[in-house]
Every structure is written in structure tokens, then in C-alpha cells.
Amino acid sequence: MRLRSLLFVPGDRPERFAKAAQSGADAIILDLEDSVAPAAKPRAREAVADYLSAPADVARFVRINPMDSPYLEADLAAAHGADGLVLPKALGAATVRSLAALAPGVPILPIATETPQAVFGLGTYGEVAEHLCGLTWGAEDLPAAIGAMGSRRPDGSYTAPFEMVRSMALFGAHAAGVAAIETVYPAIRDLDGLAAYAARGAFDGFTGMMALHPDQVPIINAAFTPSAQQVEQARAIVAAFAQAPGAGVLILDGKMIDAPHLAQARNIIARAEGAALPTGRD
């Protein structure tokens, strides 16, 4: 499943579902959690269930309410037929196991940093990798949970605690061998800022990103799709090692390349082709 861009749409706004599906996003996330007020949740579940009853040309995820929520059972019933479940307030492998037992065979995307306890579970997701389609993080709930005034500086960059959490989520995803999904960029109208943020995410090793508005999707897709120049260089590296299968180190265009460069080149080619990324777990 290619997951460069995942676009949120409130579950109680069915008039937006079709537009979200046509945005170019690799997946849409029909939200039953934070964007839906408690009084509107029954209506949202009904709309989501109705939408999922017919086929679509885009992957459709449902963000359910947390595992300890009174809404969970009804959410899972409404999500029947979804291509994946977004799991908020995930604490680690144990939370994933609990959901997988209730929704066997449905890929799970945990939001893995929304509570202080969750941060300490980021290294456990490899235990349940077979249930996962990726791992993502959030910078909105955690500040409130620890009494922080926010997660970002005035220029939009993260403060030290949340920069650390972002990095840990990134490493947690790669340690588990699953897609590393960058969190949302909340300044919807700041498309230049989004472009810079998404480019940084791709540079750092994230493989996709969540979106809040259809206008963000093309920018995110571009950031997480390798350029023609990157693909050309990657193919040259793979070809060089194919021609010298016993070599550990080669010189290409005057630069030394070795096993890490080969692994990176294969990742770039896989991303360009929309294939599953090779990982250290293979």
C-alpha cells in the first residue's frame, strides 16, 4: 500500500468524502475521533459506514476513538470494509494486539506519541509489525498531556522535547520495518511552509505524511516522490554493484559508494515505483 499522503476528512462531513477521494491522496482518513463532537459521532458513524459500503479508487482508513473509549465497538462496526484503521492514543505493541484481536486482518496505523507513556513504547512496534501498515506521530495531544504551552516555536520549528519525540517515532517505524508517516502541518494556507516541512520529512527518512486539506496533497506527494534525478542516480548505484557483485566499495562519478548507499538506492527506486520499501527486517 503506497502511503505518501493520507488526508483527514471529518466523518460527520460526508459531502467532503468524494472531494477528499479525488484529491490525489494515496489514502483518506475518515475521522471518528477528534474532529467529530460527541453528539455528532452517531451521525458520523452512519455516514462512514454508508460510504464504505461502495467501492472506491482510493485507500480508505478510519480513525477510531481510543481503545478505552465507550465509542470503540460502534466505531469498529462502522469501519467494516475499511482498508485500515488509524489507532489514536496507542501505547505500544500491547495496544495494537488488542485492536488486532477485535479487527483481525485489518492493517493498523498507530498514532504513537499522544501520551507520555506512549513515548516509552516506541521501540515495541516491531513485535506487532505484521499488523501494521505504518507508524505515525502527533504534536498536538502530547503538549496538553504534559502541561506544555505548545510544541512549536514562533517560527514553526519544534521545541526540544517534541523534536526528540519526532525522531523517536521515525526510528521506531524503521526499527519495526514499517512506513514512517510524518505528522500534519496545521497551517493550512501556508503552502510554502508545508513544502519546506514535507521536504525536510522526506530528507530525514519519513516515507509519507498526513494532510488536513486537499490543497496540501499535491505538495506532500511531490515531496515524498523521488525526483527523476534521484531515481537516475539510484539506478546507477544499483547497476554499478550488479556489475561488481563481489565489491564492498566502489567509486561512482568520483565518489565512494558502499552498502548503505546501495540500500538507500533500492529504497529510492522502490518509492518511485510505489512498491513496499525494503527494510532491515527482510
Side-chain angles (χ1 to χ4, degrees):
M1 189 184 302
R2 191 179 200 185
L3 293 176
R4 296 168 303 171
S5 53
L6 301 93
L7 174 61
F8 278 103
V9 56
D12 61 344
R13 300 299 300 270
E15 73 278 7
R16 297 183 181 180
F17 293 176
K19 182 178 180 181
Q22 295 165 7
S23 67
D26 291 328
I28 61 174
I29 302 173
L30 305 162
D31 190 20
L32 296 176
E33 197 213 10
D34 282 351
S35 69
V36 181
K41 289 186 187 293
R43 183 171 72 253
R45 285 192 289 267
E46 182 178 350
V48 167
D50 182 65
Y51 180 61
L52 292 175
S53 67
D57 294 329
V58 66
R60 295 174 293 181
F61 285 61
V62 175
R63 179 163 71 169
I64 58 174
N65 284 274
M67 292 297 294
D68 60 356
S69 164
Y71 307 117
L72 180 63
E73 183 178 355
D75 285 356
L76 291 176
H80 178 73
D83 297 294
L85 297 172
V86 177
L87 173 60
K89 307 297 189 297
L91 299 181
T95 318
V96 172
R97 287 192 189 99
S98 297
L99 179 56
L102 297 174
V106 183
I108 297 169
L109 177 63
I111 305 177
T113 64
E114 294 186 306
T115 66
Q117 302 95 316
V119 175
F120 297 97
L122 284 167
T124 68
Y125 286 98
E127 301 171 20
V128 291
E130 69 273 16
H131 299 302
L132 304 180
C133 58
L135 192 71
T136 190
W137 76 291
E140 311 307 323
D141 289 67
L142 188 57
I146 66 172
M149 299 301 293
S151 60
R152 295 175 177 85
R153 301 183 183 92
D155 66 359
S157 63
Y158 292 112
T159 61
F162 302 98
E163 191 66 64
M164 178 196 70
V165 168
R166 175 182 181 269
S167 298
M168 291 177 66
L170 173 64
F171 289 124
H174 284 284
V178 299
I181 307 299
E182 177 65 286
T183 193
V184 299
Y185 187 78
I188 292 173
R189 302 302 176 194
D190 181 13
L191 298 183
D192 290 338
L194 169 65
Y197 183 84
R200 183 201 170 193
F203 184 87
D204 286 348
F206 286 96
T207 55
M209 181 175 167
M210 296 186 294
L212 293 173
H213 191 279
D215 289 348
Q216 294 182 321
V217 169
I219 294 170
I220 291 172
N221 283 345
F224 290 96
T225 302
S227 67
Q229 182 179 3
Q230 289 173 321
V231 174
E232 181 181 2
Q233 179 66 18
R235 294 193 187 280
I237 292 172
V238 171
F241 278 100
Q243 293 170 8
V249 178
L250 296 173
I251 301 297
L252 181 66
D253 297 331
K255 297 179 181 179
M256 185 198 80
I257 56 173
D258 56 11
H261 295 93
L262 178 59
Q264 184 182 50
R266 287 172 172 163
N267 280 341
I268 289 171
I269 293 169
R271 287 170 56 196
E273 295 176 347
L277 296 180
T279 72
R281 295 173 57 86
D282 292 341

